[in-house]
Structures are given as structure tokens and as C-alpha cells.
Amino acid sequence: MPELWQEAGFGIYLHWPFCAAKCPYCDFNSHVAAEIDQDRWARAYLAEVDRVAALVPGRRVDTVFFGGGTPSLMAPRVVASVLERIAARWSVAEAAEITLEANPTSVEAERFRGYASAGVNRVSMGIQALNDADLKRLGRLHSAAEALAAFDVARAAFGRVSFDLIYARQDQGLADWEAELGRALELAADHLSLYQLTIEDGTAFGDRFRRGRLPGLPDEDRAADLYAATQEMTAAAGLPAYEISNHARPGAEARHNLIYWESGDYAGIGPGAHGRLTLDGVRMATETPRAPGAWLDAVERGAGGSFPVETVPGEAVLDEFLMMGLRVRDGVSLSRLAGLAPNEEILSNINELVESGHLEQRDGRLAATELGRPVLNAVLRAILA
Amino acid sequence: MTDLAHIRNFSIVAHIDHGKSTLADRLIQLTGTVAERDMKEQMLDSMDIERERGITIKANTVRIEYPAKDGQTYVLNLIDTPGHVDFAYEVSRSMRAVEGSLLVVDASQGVEAQTLANVYQAIDADHDIVPVLNKIDLPAAEPARVKEQIEDVIGIEAHDAIEISAKTGLGIPDVLEAIVTRLPAPKGDRNAPLKAMLVDSWYDPYLGVVVMIRVIDGVIRKGDQVKMMQTGARYGIDRLAVLRPAMTDIAELGPGEIGVLTASIKQVRDTRVGDTITHERKPCETPLPGFKPSIPVVFCGLFPADANDFEDLRDAIEKLALNDASFTYEMETSAALGFGFRCGFLGLLHLEVIRDRIEREYDIDLITTAPSVVYKIHMKDGETRELHNPADMPDLTYVDHIEEPRIKATILVPDDYLGDVLKLCQDRRGIQLDLTYAGSRAMVVYDLPLNEVVFDFYDRLKSVTKGYASFDYQMAGYREDKLVKMQILVNDEPVDALSMMVHRDRAEMRGRAMCEKLKDLIPRHMFKIPIQAAIGGKVIARETLSALRKDVTAKCYGGDATRKRKLLDKQKAGKKKMRQFGKVEIPQEAFISALKMDS
């Protein structure tokens, strides 16, 4: 029997922890630094590629993803040297997907050609909103016009371009969102990530929200309406949802992200990066220090080998398999599920949810239905909790 | 021992905040009973809750020595009594131990409902009464008007009322002098066999049970062998003392004197307030008439918010009950709330005080279920049952009729708010008994069902009168009415902890309110949930909690897997704190809020 990860593939995630400014909604591991020694960081990344390659040698790399932070602040030569090193340590698939997250400012757009030359063939742009008032509220450093210009540069430079929008913003009505989404769909990207604004603890928005200073956010019913409208409009435009928040023309799905959702293996390189690696048939979780300075120091000391590599317990493998897998429109393969030996209670919970119409079994797969997807957290609690 | 002619025993009658405790403090201070450096406010109120709420719960006593203008030194025994109706029973027995009262009335506020209730108890106890107008220094003081009001409303002479300010000390010497000249000396026969009244008893962690007594006839000494005439128990007196207010040993107490004794008594429940104490060898012939025991009229369930605290709660309740014979308890289980106790109280304030003490002194978070009164269920076979808990309501086919306790409520309210008060009483099934005016204030007397009063009546009264009304009540027997048990069904499953007794005509309204409240408190599920109020099988109110429409994590990538999985683990643990009713999970907080008394 193939190992769990093999059906989904192997990807490498590389985390660049710096941003020009911290956005008030963002709870990612990102930091604003006055000066960054790009070459010093490049050396550390290369050392980590070497270390991880020694852990899982002989793999074929299907995808690489530069995430952040704002990886479009990386010097193209750093991106190039990392990709070269990856190719030196592993074999890289012919049609490997190499993605870089970019902010749509004019300064960053100037580097797009350089990234393309380095081997990046897909960008994911954080456009977030198409009107300046909301961009300002979201703490973005670009205007809508600037973002659209950067988008055009990206389209010329890369074969595949995706962008993100955040909806369910303050005071955003259904009609407002429909109009904005309509314009986004006209831009003819092949992939869109459409995220409902989530107020996270430990962010500026989280703080304001707790103090009652973030009015005009949608209630559950309006959020559900916004979500439903999003599903309809994207499907009609030929970019149906293939995951809770991700939409693509058929064939243009983000293969790297599918590795996460389908319980593939992924190496996490950089501060605070998580990975899942199957070592000797056992699924392991890897983790690195979150603070950029601490990570850098440890790597330079040669202490990367002390970063945690822990067994994911069997029950947790199953939890993650369903938690991630049911996010995907096509769900999880029943034979892979069976291989994880779910207990009677979980199977009976699943049957009940099939009966109530929240889940469906089709073509050897188990998937959340249109009724189940918007309440997936509750579905997962009902299956697993 | 003090000669009868040089003893004065008295209590102070006042409405809350009219200055009773401050006056007591001044009397203690002016006579040098307590050294200046040991003075603190509300000298006689020893419980934290008494000081904090500014109320007196237990009767306390102090012995003051006062050199009067006639050159003689008098012993003044003050018994400080609770002002609140819940503790009326303590008031009435304390009154039996003294011969006179100071009636303290705020010179700007005038007579309040509590003043009335307590002053009538003093009149019932044949007290001589000296009216005292307090807070005379305030600009709003209207002594002439208030004197007139005392004469009109209470019907006692007030032209020679003493005008004081307990705060500044103005007029306090006049009060001391009036106690001596205007209140009677006690009567008694020093040579007769011992006859002493057991006025009160309490548990002291160092001394054990302490008994307060008032000697009527004879003399009691340390070492005496005595017996309690009602219980028949016999004890040797270990210690005899007076309270100044600190306990001060004394060799003997004679007629008219008030003091305390200890006698290796194990618990407060072994003593009966109102009992007669006499000598074992040479007993008196006839005991004192005694008092009716106080009985709980309001019941509620007390459950630990954390089930692990159950044993601590049991311990706390047992300890409190040792010192409070009027507080009753028995173990109870509820599907919703687990193990707890069904407790009986003298009234709502008593309930609150006990609840506060458990939470504060024993540090236990409590869930208090809706308070209920004691119904009399008359069965068709002629049997009568007392119903303390709606969950125990027998099958209606065997019930002939149900009686509920009624109260006589006295409300004093400024004219402007009278209409609102009448409407409130009417809404609560009240029957007007009397309506009179004293100046710009109206006094209304209503016959009301107690169960309508335990349910947020104080709050409504305070809110409709902006706090200007005062309220007091006494129990007024039982009456038959159309009473039904209302059940709450969540997703067609009955939830016992939420059932309650209601009047048939008010059931729809109460049922609707409960269903609406629960609709907001129960989290949405993946399916819609009917929430119904029902009487027998008949649904009288219904709300539908619609199904959950949106609950999904927007972003979930490789870096989120661990965190989101741990969140799921937490939810697995959190589910254990939910109470499961069929397919519906109701968080404990929902019960707490739904059952919370609106106070």
C-alpha cells in the first residue's frame, strides 16, 4: 500500500518572515524589520534545504511555495539560489509548480521579471480589495489602481497568476461584494482566493473587536449570504470553488496547497514553518522557531538539527486528514480513509451526516455537500468531537 | 448584678439607610464602651456581608454603662435587630427580650415600609417607643413634616421626637437621657426560681455555640446546672458574659439583664430560640410561651458550577446551616446541572445572603436555579403534599387542586409613581386591600401571590419608581388558584431544570419569555431546534432556533494544520462541559443565564 502522502505529492514551503508593514487582520508570522541582510538569510535557507534534504533524500519535488510575510521583498537572487539548491538536492518534477506570494506595489512589480528568471512560474498576489477606502482600512500600502497595474506586470511575467480578496469587511453589503467580485472575475486570473475576513486574537483587529471598536462586521446570516453569492458567481464565471476559499479554472488549482489539503508531505523551511514528513513510514510534524532572529541564530550555529520533529499520533493523522481533506470540493478518498482505520463512532457519525445531507459519498470519495461546506467546522466537530 | 431600676433594655427600629447602625456606633462611642482607637463603622455588624450591604442580618447586642443626669449609672442593653422582612422573625424575638424601642426615621426621607413593619412588631411587643429624627443636619431635612407623618401613618405621638445627627453626634446625649427617662425599667423577681429566655444562639469558631439570654426572674451563675424546658436538654454553664460588645466575663446575671453563656452545646440546632432556661434543681413552674419556629418560604437549587466542587459545597452548606436554623437543605440531582442541593430560605434576601456567603467565604461558583415557593398540592385521595420543586409535581390526574402562598405587601411610594405601582401589582395578580395618603406619599397594601414576588418583583418595583418606593411584606396564608407546571422542551426533549410553576393566565407570557431567552442562549446547531413551553401535553409558546448557516475556517494551509487540530481537541474537551439533551448540546452558561434571577 502506498504511504499516505504519496497520492498527494511532496512540496517545499519556504517562509520569508518580513513585511513592509503589519496588516491589522494578519496573524501570520510576519515582522517589520528596518534592515535585512539578504545574503545572510540566503545562506541560512540553503543550510536548511541541505538539512531537510538529508532527512528525506531521494524525493521528487512537485511544488515549491515562497510564502510569508511578503516574499516579494526577497531579492530575486536569493529566490534563485534557493531554487538552485533544491534542484541540486532533489529531483524536481518537469512541470513543478513554483509559487511566490507578492504584494501588488509598483516597487515589487519591478522584481517580477527577476523571479520569473529564477524559475518562479506562478504568483499569488495579495490584492485584498478593489477600492481604496477598504484597502486603507485593511492597512494595505497599495491603491487599487497600483494593484491592477502590478497585476498586469505579473500576467506578462508569469504563466499563472492568482490573487486574494478579503470579503465580509466592515460595512460591506451583499450588493457591494457582488459588484467587487464581478470586477475581479473580469480580470481573468485563472485562480482566486476569496477569504472571509476573520478576526484573530493577537491582531490589531482582534484587539479593536474586543473593545467594540470594529463595527459593521456581518452577522452569521449575512456572512452566509456573502459566501453563497461567492459560490454562485465564481461558478458562473468558470472558476468554481475547489476548496472552501479557493477558486480556479479547471486545471489551474494550486497544486502546492492541494498537498496540504490532501495530506501530502511538505517540508517547512524558515522561521515558524511547519512541515509534515513521512520518515520510515511514520508521519512526523516538523517545526522551527517563530522569531526570525532566533531561527537565524540557530541555523547559523548549525543547530537546525535540534528543531522539533515529532510523531503525529495515529488519531491526529486521521483528524488532520479529514479536517484538511473535507475542505476540498472532491473530498477524501474512501480507501485512504479506510487505511487510517477510523473507529465505529466516527463511521456512525459520518453516516448520520450523510443522512442529514451534510456529507455525500460519490465515486469512492467522501465529500462535504453544498449544505455541509459553509458549516464545515460543525461537521468536523460532529464527526470527530 | 444590677438593680432593676438601673437597667434599660431597648432596640432600634429603622428603615435601611436611616442610620440605625451609625446611631448604635455613636451610643457605644459616647459612653466610652469601646476605646476610641478600637471603633470601626457598624460596630455591631460582624459579618462582611452586613458591613458591605450596610444591613444587619443577625441580632447583636451591646451593654453600655451610662452615667445619667440624675447622678446614677444605668446599664443600657441594646439589641440591634435586622431591618429586613426576611429576618422579621429575628426581629420579633429580639423585641420580646426588651421593653422599649428607639424609632429612627430619616428626617428627609420620612417613614418607609420597613419602618412600619418593624414598628408594629415593637408595638405588638408592648414597647414604649421614643421617636428619633436622624440626619437633621441635612438641608433636605423636614422635621415638622416627618413628625406629622409619624403621627399620621404610625399613629404614635411624635411632638417630642429627638432631633439628631448620628453622623455628627448632634443630639446623642439627649437620646441616652431619653432611654433612661422615657423607657421603662424591666420587671422581675430576684428571689423567684430562674426563668431566662433563650433570645438567640450562634456558632463561634473558638467558643462553640454561644447562647444569648434575657433573665426574667431569678439569678444565673457560672457553674449552674440548667435545663432547657422545651428540649429537656441539661447543661452546666461554662461561661457567663456580657457583650461590650467584646465578650466580658461576669459572675452572675439577675432579672432584667441580658448576656451570653456557653455550655458545651454542640450545634446551634440543639438550641431552640424562645426556649426557657431554668435551674435543674429548682425549676420555675411555667415556661415562657416560646416562639413559633421560622419556616422557609422560598426554595431554590444551588449547584456547583464546577462539578468537582460538590463536596466543598456540601461542606459549606452544612457549616452555614449549623449557625442558621432557618436555612434548610437536601441533596438534589438534576440532569442538566448534576449534583446539588435544594435549599429553603426565609425570603429572597436570605437566599442572596447565603448564596453570597458560599461564593465568597468558601470560594465556590454557584448556579442558582429559579426560586420557587412552597405549594400545597391537594390530591384527589385527600392527601396534601408540599411541593418544593416543580420537578416533583405529581401527575395532574391525581391532583384535586393547588394552593399557593400569599403575602400582604405594603408599599410606600411618591404620588407620581403610584399608577405604575398599581399596574405592577395588578399585573402580578395582586388584590388591592388599602390605599391611603400621607402627604405626597401613598401607602398601598396588596394581597399578592409570593411566587410573583420572588420573580423579579423588587427589580420591577425599583425600576418603575426609579428607586423611590419602599416595600415590605408578611406571609398571609394560602389560597387556591389556577396553577400549572410549565415545562420547557428543547428539540422535543423536556429539560427538567427549566420547569416551573406558573399561574395559568400568565403561563403564555412566561413561556414566551423563556423560549425567547433560550433561543439566544443555545448555540445554533446543524439542524433547526424547536424550543417550546408546554403545560401537560399542550404547547403554549414556541420559538425556533434556526440551523447554523456559517461556521467554517476561511484559511487553512500547511502551517495551520497543527493549530486547527489542537483547536478541535479543545472542542472535544469543551463538549464534555455541554449538557446533552437528545441531539442538542446546551452549554452550562445557558442554564445559568436562563435560570438567573433578574436581580
Side-chain angles (χ1 to χ4, degrees):
Chain A
M1 201 164 81
E3 290 179 352
L4 182 69
W5 68 275
Q6 282 170 315
E7 287 186 35
F10 174 57
I12 293 170
Y13 175 79
L14 188 134
H15 190 79
W16 175 262
F18 301 108
C19 283
K22 181 91 189 167
C23 298
Y25 53 85
C26 174
D27 71 334
F28 280 34
N29 186 21
S30 59
H31 306 263
V32 178
E35 220 169 288
I36 301 156
D37 183 341
Q38 296 258 354
D39 293 322
R40 194 177 162 199
W41 277 84
R43 283 192 297 276
Y45 285 127
L46 299 185
E48 279 291 274
V49 170
D50 291 348
R51 182 180 68 85
V52 175
L55 279 178
V56 278
R59 296 278 182 105
R60 190 192 66 176
V61 175
D62 294 307
T63 64
V64 179
F65 194 102
F66 293 87
T70 309
S72 52
L73 296 176
M74 290 171 89
R77 68 173 187 281
V78 176
V79 174
S81 66
V82 168
L83 290 174
E84 274 162 30
R85 184 60 63 92
I86 288 170
R89 293 287 171 261
W90 289 289
S91 70
V92 176
E94 186 72 16
E97 175 191 276
I98 316 288
T99 307
L100 182 132
E101 285 183 330
N103 266 353
T105 68
S106 52
V107 180
E108 286 158 298
E110 285 172 14
R111 285 193 285 269
F112 286 179
R113 291 251 162 238
Y115 297 136
S117 309
V120 172
N121 55 24
R122 181 175 181 271
V123 285
S124 170
M125 304 184 75
I127 290 181
Q128 316 308 10
L130 292 178
N131 73 73
D132 290 347
D134 280 359
L135 283 170
K136 203 171 166 199
R137 272 177 156 181
L138 291 171
R140 305 297 292 177
L141 298 177
H142 54 86
S143 67
E146 196 178 2
L148 295 178
F151 176 75
D152 284 340
V153 176
R155 294 250 298 162
F158 304 100
R160 297 168 63 195
V161 180
S162 172
F163 64 87
D164 299 356
L165 291 180
I166 293 174
Y167 69 98
R169 308 191 284 255
Q170 283 174 275
D171 305 321
Q172 187 180 40
L174 182 60
D176 299 330
W177 171 235
E178 283 173 341
E180 192 168 336
L181 180 58
R183 278 165 57 212
L185 290 166
E186 281 167 17
L187 292 173
D190 61 2
H191 187 283
L192 281 175
S193 299
L194 305 170
Y195 299 113
Q196 172 165 347
L197 176 61
T198 307
I199 307 303
E200 304 282 359
D201 283 343
T203 64
F205 272 7
D207 194 43
R208 264 182 252 169
F209 183 73
R210 261 203 321 279
R211 286 183 289 129
R213 303 253 173 88
L214 204 64
L217 291 173
D219 60 11
E220 185 191 322
D221 285 315
R222 182 144 68 97
D225 292 343
L226 291 168
Y227 183 82
T230 305
Q231 306 312 300
E232 268 173 45
M233 287 182 66
T234 51
L239 282 85
Y242 68 97
E243 191 261 359
I244 297 295
S245 303
N246 283 279
H247 304 257
R249 292 196 190 286
E253 295 86 1
R255 279 155 47 205
H256 182 81
N257 292 340
L258 281 166
I259 289 175
Y260 301 140
W261 297 320
E262 295 182 339
S263 290
D265 266 11
Y266 48 97
I269 291 172
H274 288 249
R276 291 288 182 276
L277 295 173
T278 306
L279 306 179
D280 299 325
V282 180
R283 194 160 170 84
M284 309 297 285
T286 72
E287 209 180 323
T288 61
R290 269 178 75 84
W295 178 85
L296 191 61
D297 286 349
V299 173
E300 287 179 344
R301 281 201 322 271
S306 67
F307 295 162
V309 180
E310 288 167 358
T311 305
V312 184
E315 193 194 341
V317 174
L318 174 64
D319 285 357
E320 286 186 7
F321 178 74
L322 289 171
M323 188 180 84
M324 304 301 276
L326 290 177
R327 295 183 66 83
V328 181
R329 179 191 53 210
D330 297 331
V332 297
S333 128
L334 284 171
S335 64
R336 289 178 84 201
L337 175 62
L340 294 170
N343 64 29
E344 281 301 315
E345 195 187 340
I346 289 175
L347 292 176
S348 108
N349 291 340
I350 289 174
N351 281 336
E352 270 183 43
L353 289 158
V354 169
E355 265 168 46
S356 66
H358 293 89
L359 293 176
E360 63 181 345
Q361 293 187 36
R362 160 167 56 78
D363 306 331
R365 300 186 75 85
L366 175 72
T369 61
E370 262 178 61
L371 182 67
R373 272 195 302 273
V375 294
L376 185 63
N377 290 352
V379 170
L380 289 166
R381 284 196 296 272
I383 300 174
L384 299 169
Chain B
M1 193 163 60
T2 316
D3 149 38
L4 281 168
H6 291 102
I7 299 175
R8 296 292 183 275
N9 297 322
F10 69 104
S11 64
I12 305 178
V13 170
H15 182 72
I16 185 164
D17 286 341
H18 281 198
K20 178 165 65 93
S21 295
T22 317
L23 174 59
D25 288 351
R26 288 292 159 273
L27 297 177
I28 292 168
Q29 202 174 13
L30 195 70
T31 52
T33 306
V34 172
E36 200 66 35
R37 64 170 187 281
D38 295 331
M39 274 306 290
K40 51 187 175 182
E41 276 186 34
Q42 282 183 252
M43 199 67 212
L44 295 182
D45 293 337
S46 50
M47 273 190 259
D48 283 351
I49 292 175
E50 292 185 320
R51 282 171 199 275
E52 222 162 87
R53 293 189 175 217
I55 55 173
T56 301
I57 295 165
K58 297 291 288 179
N60 286 287
T61 183
V62 61
R63 176 175 166 128
I64 299 166
E65 282 177 19
Y66 168 62
K69 285 183 182 157
D70 63 9
Q72 313 272 330
T73 293
Y74 290 79
V75 167
L76 313 182
N77 288 304
L78 162 62
I79 296 188
D80 189 22
T81 56
H84 193 276
V85 56
D86 282 6
F87 307 104
Y89 183 69
E90 300 232 9
V91 177
S92 85
R93 67 201 191 196
S94 306
M95 297 265 183
R96 299 293 160 102
V98 300
E99 287 79 23
S101 285
L102 302 179
L103 165 63
V104 178
V105 180
D106 185 313
S108 57
Q109 307 270 322
V111 174
E112 301 284 358
Q114 270 175 23
T115 326
L116 281 178
N118 286 341
V119 82
Y120 289 139
Q121 295 220 35
I123 292 168
D124 282 350
D126 282 333
H127 281 192
D128 285 11
I129 295 168
V130 175
V132 175
L133 301 188
N134 191 19
K135 307 193 189 180
I136 204 78
D137 56 320
L138 295 184
E142 294 178 86
R145 182 185 67 85
V146 172
K147 281 181 196 175
E148 197 178 319
Q149 195 194 21
I150 292 172
E151 293 184 351
D152 288 351
V153 177
I154 304 175
I156 61 170
E157 191 62 39
H159 71 275
D160 54 357
I162 306 168
E163 301 186 2
I164 70 160
S165 166
K167 201 172 129 213
T168 65
L170 175 80
I172 303 299
D174 299 337
V175 175
L176 285 164
E177 200 55 29
I179 292 167
V180 169
T181 57
R182 290 166 62 178
L183 295 183
K187 295 187 182 73
D189 181 355
R190 185 182 162 74
N191 299 313
L194 175 65
K195 183 188 269 187
M197 180 197 293
L198 196 162
V199 182
D200 196 5
S201 62
W202 61 90
Y203 185 82
D204 180 289
Y206 300 105
L207 304 169
V209 175
V210 179
V211 174
M212 189 199 295
I213 58 163
R214 156 72 198 266
V215 180
I216 310 292
D217 291 322
V219 178
I220 187 168
R221 295 181 181 84
K222 185 181 169 182
D224 281 358
Q225 288 295 316
V226 298
K227 73 168 179 184
M228 312 282 194
M229 295 181 78
Q230 278 180 40
T231 63
R234 286 146 208 271
Y235 298 102
I237 307 292
D238 295 335
R239 188 172 177 189
L240 202 58
V242 291
L243 301 174
R244 294 174 188 272
M247 205 180 278
T248 312
D249 285 344
I250 197 163
E252 58 175 44
L253 288 170
E257 290 194 287
I258 292 171
V260 296
L261 60 83
T262 64
S264 317
I265 303 170
K266 295 248 166 17
Q267 49 179 11
V268 171
R269 282 170 191 269
D270 296 338
T271 64
R272 196 164 296 169
V273 167
D275 204 343
T276 308
I277 299 171
T278 191
H279 280 131
E280 203 180 335
R281 288 262 179 83
K282 192 185 154 198
C284 61
E285 274 173 27
T286 48
L288 295 160
F291 306 140
K292 274 188 302 188
S294 56
I295 46 160
V297 295
V298 176
F299 285 77
C300 77
L302 296 180
F303 293 83
D306 178 346
N308 294 324
D309 287 343
F310 175 77
E311 285 304 325
D312 291 341
L313 176 60
R314 181 208 295 276
D315 187 50
I317 283 179
E318 282 174 356
K319 282 200 177 124
L320 288 173
L322 280 184
N323 197 17
D324 186 347
S326 50
F327 163 55
T328 66
Y329 65 96
E330 61 184 43
M331 220 183 116
E332 178 183 21
T333 62
S334 149
L337 305 172
F339 287 109
F341 294 92
R342 191 83 191 160
C343 300
F345 306 92
L346 298 176
L348 277 184
L349 182 71
H350 189 208
L351 185 161
E352 280 177 39
V353 165
I354 296 270
R355 186 188 60 191
D356 283 4
R357 289 188 66 184
I358 292 172
E359 294 204 316
R360 196 175 315 188
E361 294 170 26
Y362 297 88
D363 197 24
I364 300 169
D365 276 344
L366 287 178
I367 302 171
T368 312
T369 66
S372 163
V373 301
V374 180
Y375 297 92
K376 285 188 180 159
I377 314 288
H378 296 270
M379 308 296 287
K380 284 188 175 146
D381 64 5
E383 188 199 345
T384 301
R385 296 186 191 174
E386 283 198 349
L387 183 75
H388 292 178
N389 186 346
D392 302 331
M393 178 73 188
D395 190 325
L396 276 181
T397 50
Y398 302 111
V399 173
D400 187 68
H401 65 280
I402 304 174
E403 286 186 312
E404 66 175 338
R406 310 278 303 194
I407 59 163
K408 185 179 159 194
T410 304
I411 299 167
L412 284 172
V413 61
D415 241 0
D416 299 350
Y417 304 106
L418 180 62
D420 297 315
V421 169
L422 295 181
K423 180 167 185 315
L424 175 66
C425 292
Q426 234 38 68
D427 286 348
R428 298 302 171 95
R429 303 191 280 130
I431 299 163
Q432 199 183 97
L433 300 178
D434 197 12
L435 171 56
T436 51
Y437 281 91
S440 63
R441 284 161 66 89
M443 183 174 87
V444 281
V445 181
Y446 261 87
D447 175 357
L448 279 159
L450 180 62
N451 88 339
E452 298 287 349
V453 174
V454 299
F455 183 76
D456 83 351
F457 183 84
Y458 290 133
D459 278 2
R460 297 291 308 136
L461 183 68
K462 262 187 274 172
S463 118
V464 300
T465 63
K466 301 198 165 61
Y468 283 113
S470 66
F471 167 74
D472 209 331
Y473 70 85
Q474 61 200 76
M475 301 303 294
Y478 274 76
R479 183 177 318 148
E480 180 182 347
D481 216 324
K482 290 185 290 178
L483 296 158
V484 290
K485 173 182 167 182
M486 183 174 80
Q487 272 196 314
I488 300 293
L489 296 97
V490 175
N491 206 29
D492 303 320
E493 299 271 339
V495 181
D496 249 6
L498 298 174
S499 53
M500 58 176 77
M501 299 295 295
V502 289
H503 189 266
R504 183 64 192 87
D505 296 348
R506 287 174 51 77
E508 270 85 2
M509 197 202 75
R510 292 284 292 277
R512 235 184 354 261
M514 193 65 151
C515 291
E516 280 168 14
K517 213 167 173 186
L518 285 169
K519 187 183 164 192
D520 289 337
L521 292 167
I522 299 174
R524 284 181 174 189
H525 283 51
M526 278 187 289
F527 43 90
K528 64 181 181 192
I529 300 170
I531 301 169
Q532 296 156 304
I535 296 169
K538 186 169 173 270
V539 173
I540 54 163
R542 181 192 167 108
E543 290 282 335
T544 303
L545 176 62
S546 46
L548 185 69
R549 289 191 61 202
K550 185 87 182 0
D551 181 11
V552 61
T553 305
K555 274 191 181 185
C556 193
Y557 296 105
D560 303 304
T562 305
R563 196 160 51 103
K564 302 291 184 200
R565 171 166 51 76
K566 285 186 175 157
L567 191 69
L568 195 66
D569 284 342
K570 236 165 133 182
Q571 287 165 341
K572 290 182 197 176
K575 196 165 171 169
K576 296 195 180 101
K577 284 190 193 146
M578 302 272 222
R579 312 286 176 164
Q580 188 92 26
F581 289 86
K583 285 171 69 186
V584 179
E585 284 155 9
I586 306 182
Q588 192 154 286
E589 299 85 61
F591 284 99
I592 301 172
S593 308
L595 295 172
K596 203 176 152 200
M597 294 182 297
D598 296 328
S599 63

